[in-house]
Amino acid sequence: MNASTYLAVTAEHHSKRSVLRLQGELDVSSRDHLRHAIRSALDNHPPVLVMDLSGLSFTDCAGLSVLVWAHKRQAECGHRLVITGAKPIVRRLLHLTGLDTYLQLSTPETINDNPHETTTYP
């Protein structure tokens, strides 16, 4: 796998939320990897799924489609998807596509509760 298209996802499961931290690039070649990590996180039925994009250096429309899919999955259960830490290049794509008004974006947050499980998906 080319290092420039590598995506690592680290999952932290807390009592009322799961956090997925992305590192690398999210594109058509890594979208299924992220989809798998999201499905695993949703097995815990978190009321809030946080996607921390602070380690994401790039995404394309295929990557954005996974974020929309995750948002829809959470909404179907009356739960929320919160996206945090998006770098300017990712925020710009979200703005250009209009997804910044559809998806819930926030500033980076500090996780106060201790995770009971941490998993890395290389």
Side-chain angles (χ1 to χ4, degrees):
M1 180 182 294
N2 185 339
S4 66
T5 61
Y6 181 77
L7 178 70
V9 181
T10 302
E12 297 175 4
H13 305 291
H14 304 269
S15 60
K16 297 197 183 224
R17 68 180 159 200
S18 290
V19 180
L20 296 180
R21 299 184 193 283
L22 281 59
Q23 182 76 36
E25 296 187 1
L26 174 57
D27 59 20
V28 69
S29 67
S30 58
R31 70 178 172 197
D32 290 338
H33 175 62
L34 178 57
R35 217 180 269 267
H36 172 73
I38 292 169
R39 279 190 193 105
S40 294
L42 294 182
D43 285 345
N44 294 304
H45 307 286
V48 178
L49 175 61
V50 178
M51 300 284 291
D52 181 352
L53 306 185
S54 59
L56 193 66
S57 59
F58 172 81
T59 190
D60 64 6
C61 290
L64 292 183
S65 71
V66 178
L67 299 179
V68 170
W69 171 80
H71 168 79
K72 288 180 180 179
R73 293 275 312 261
Q74 281 293 84
E76 288 170 357
C77 301
H79 297 161
R80 294 184 307 136
L81 171 72
V82 177
I83 296 172
T84 187
K87 292 182 179 177
I89 193 161
V90 175
R91 281 189 173 270
R92 185 167 191 269
L93 185 57
L94 289 166
H95 176 71
L96 289 172
T97 58
L99 289 175
D100 60 337
T101 60
Y102 178 72
L103 299 172
Q104 182 179 346
L105 303 177
S106 76
T107 57
E109 65 181 40
T110 302
I111 308 237
N112 295 323
D113 47 345
N114 295 323
H116 65 269
E117 182 180 339
T118 300
T119 308
T120 300
Y121 300 92

